[in-house]
Amino acid sequence: MKYQSGPDQIPAMLLKISAPAIANPVATLINESLATGYIPKLWKTARVVPIHKSGDSTLVSNYRPISLLPVMSKVLEKCVYTQLRDYYQYWNYLTPDQSGFCPNHSTTTAFLKVCNDIQAGMEQGNLTGAIFLDFAKAFDTVDHGILFEKLKNSGIGDRMLTWFQSYVSDRSQYVSISGSSSLPLPVTCGVPQGSILGPLLFTIFINDLSNICKASTVHMYADDTVIYTSKPDLPQLEAVLQDQFTEVEKWIKHNKLFLNTDKTVTMLFGTAPKLHKLQNPHLCVGTKSNGTLTTVTSLKYLGMWLDPNLSFGPHIEKLSFKLYPKLGALYRNKSCLSPAVRKQIVQQMLMPAIEYRDVVYAAARKHTFRNLLHCITHSVATHYNVTT
């Protein structure tokens, strides 16, 4: 996908090759755009290419839309992004509770942060309650007026505000598939998908969410948000979480975002003896629509499965279940493959899955690793063509 061009049909490789000849004219265009606060309409048109994920290919829901923008617009965005990011870093404006799109941060560091806080609560003999928020199409529902207000409050001057107004306004997109294209339709809200500036603008938009929850901890990875706190007993924990969630719902309404309450769930963490003492180890957190958030005992968060004791047993079990079919296919066909090919398959298909977040689930108990160790043993045996 990275080699496909946007609506202007100019591939990025062409600009890279011709950089010595066109660098000065491109720099002039970028400076003119920043000085006048104007972006050409062609640079704000996106070509959307649907990519099939899995399942029935006749269902639209089984496709992931990939938004391709003109490469010249991305060059302009990169210049603005670099200066805007440096500005916010210099003034420490962005909350440390956001790990998405931040240097030296990843889903692993975000997951470690949350798990470490929960584990610290367990060591103190507390229960930890968490609310995992599920925003409905968060990037696509960003209100431009509210975004401009937040940019202004963060210190962005009038001239750059004019440029950002031009950046998000008068945008359009069309779908391209099998050589055919739809008519372009206007994009009236949200940050541009497939853009360089879009993720940073969204980060700025939700930057003040952490200020709402003063009695709890908030951690975000882009729009994946979890609110949690630790207390000695369940009633006190529920009271704090209810108060925090009520404030969050007000913030969401004020910022014109949408919360998917069916997928927003709670989870109760604690040591096995602590949870065993509870008659009803569930959290009761109500919504503004008089509903109650669902309490789960297993949840996939940032690519890993959580359980109430942080034993990571469910994650290791699911990982082992995922690896066994691949190991079986590799073992059955090992006689047809050279050692070099077997090694490459193990390194590229099996080890990445095993090593992903191993720094997190390495704290699991030894007996939990039994199935996973069996998988690893089979990997090594297949690689060296020996019998296990």
Side-chain angles (χ1 to χ4, degrees):
M1 286 304 301
K2 66 179 181 180
Y3 297 111
Q4 294 209 35
S5 57
D8 58 0
Q9 299 297 310
I10 300 176
M13 185 58 68
L14 177 62
L15 260 68
K16 187 175 182 179
I17 295 173
S18 58
I22 67 172
N24 288 336
V26 169
T28 300
L29 286 173
I30 291 173
N31 288 329
E32 281 296 312
S33 174
L34 296 175
T36 60
Y38 174 78
I39 302 175
K41 181 174 175 55
L42 180 61
W43 289 9
K44 297 186 288 185
T45 301
R47 181 165 73 97
V48 179
V49 180
I51 302 298
H52 183 244
K53 295 185 293 184
S54 61
D56 188 352
S57 60
T58 63
L59 296 178
V60 176
S61 58
N62 290 333
Y63 286 82
R64 177 184 291 109
I66 304 298
S67 181
L68 300 171
L69 292 166
V71 66
M72 280 299 301
S73 71
K74 303 189 83 168
V75 174
L76 171 61
E77 285 188 56
K78 183 64 176 180
C79 296
V80 177
Y81 170 85
T82 301
Q83 296 186 47
L84 191 65
R85 179 201 61 196
D86 292 346
Y87 167 78
Y88 284 128
Q89 286 183 346
Y90 179 81
W91 291 106
N92 292 321
Y93 179 77
L94 298 179
T95 175
D97 298 324
Q98 173 66 264
S99 292
F101 319 114
C102 296
N104 304 318
H105 288 71
S106 65
T107 54
T108 300
T109 60
F111 196 90
L112 276 172
K113 158 67 177 171
V114 174
C115 288
N116 184 68
D117 290 346
I118 295 172
Q119 188 65 47
M122 290 184 185
E123 292 174 357
Q124 295 172 6
N126 291 335
L127 294 169
T128 299
I131 303 174
F132 295 86
L133 303 179
D134 186 274
F135 290 101
K137 298 183 178 180
F139 281 71
D140 295 328
T141 54
V142 170
D143 182 88
H144 293 163
I146 298 175
L147 175 62
F148 296 148
E149 188 66 25
K150 293 188 177 186
L151 285 170
K152 184 176 181 180
N153 292 338
S154 68
I156 301 300
D158 292 340
R159 187 166 69 175
M160 279 309 299
L161 281 177
T162 301
W163 186 91
F164 278 114
Q165 287 173 340
S166 176
Y167 174 74
V168 300
S169 63
D170 202 23
R171 301 192 78 95
S172 61
Q173 63 183 16
Y174 65 91
V175 177
S176 177
I177 182 171
S178 300
S180 300
S181 299
S182 68
L183 293 174
L185 291 175
V187 180
T188 57
C189 63
V191 294
Q193 295 286 352
S195 64
I196 295 175
L197 269 174
L200 180 56
L201 291 177
F202 180 79
T203 300
I204 296 167
F205 189 83
I206 65 170
N207 188 62
D208 58 334
L209 174 57
S210 59
N211 298 332
I212 302 300
C213 302
K214 297 180 180 179
S216 60
T217 303
V218 177
H219 201 80
M220 299 172 280
Y221 190 89
D223 60 329
D224 285 314
T225 304
V226 56
I227 303 167
Y228 57 94
T229 189
S230 296
K231 297 296 177 184
D233 58 79
L234 187 58
Q236 187 179 2
L237 183 62
E238 287 181 332
V240 173
L241 286 177
Q242 181 64 71
D243 179 67
Q244 298 295 276
F245 185 66
T246 300
E247 293 301 315
V248 168
E249 284 191 303
K250 292 178 182 178
W251 180 90
I252 290 172
K253 182 179 180 181
H254 177 75
N255 286 273
K256 299 183 180 180
L257 292 175
F258 301 94
L259 188 68
N260 189 340
T261 53
D262 292 334
K263 294 184 179 180
T264 296
V265 298
T266 64
M267 196 166 185
L268 183 62
F269 298 92
T271 61
K274 185 81 172 179
L275 293 175
H276 185 70
K277 291 179 181 179
L278 299 176
Q279 292 182 348
N280 186 21
H282 289 78
L283 289 167
C284 183
V285 179
T287 67
K288 64 180 180 181
S289 58
N290 296 324
T292 303
L293 296 180
T294 303
T295 297
V296 297
T297 56
S298 181
L299 175 71
K300 192 175 185 180
Y301 172 62
L302 297 180
M304 280 194 69
W305 287 89
L306 290 170
D307 61 276
N309 309 128
L310 286 189
S311 67
F312 300 110
H315 176 76
I316 294 174
E317 181 181 348
K318 292 178 185 296
L319 177 58
S320 302
F321 184 78
K322 177 182 177 182
L323 291 175
Y324 268 122
K326 296 180 180 179
L327 277 169
L330 182 59
Y331 192 80
R332 288 190 299 270
N333 295 282
K334 67 177 183 178
S335 60
C336 306
L337 305 172
S338 67
V341 172
R342 292 199 300 270
K343 179 179 179 180
Q344 186 175 9
I345 291 175
V346 170
Q347 290 178 337
Q348 295 185 1
M349 294 184 61
L350 300 176
M351 294 312 296
I354 295 172
E355 294 173 350
Y356 181 66
R357 305 278 177 77
D358 56 353
V359 68
V360 179
Y361 69 78
R365 294 180 178 180
K366 290 183 179 180
H367 70 85
T368 310
F369 283 102
R370 191 172 296 122
N371 289 338
L372 185 60
L373 288 174
H374 190 56
C375 287
I376 296 173
T377 303
H378 267 291
S379 299
V380 174
T382 306
H383 171 217
Y384 288 107
N385 197 19
V386 298
T387 303
T388 56

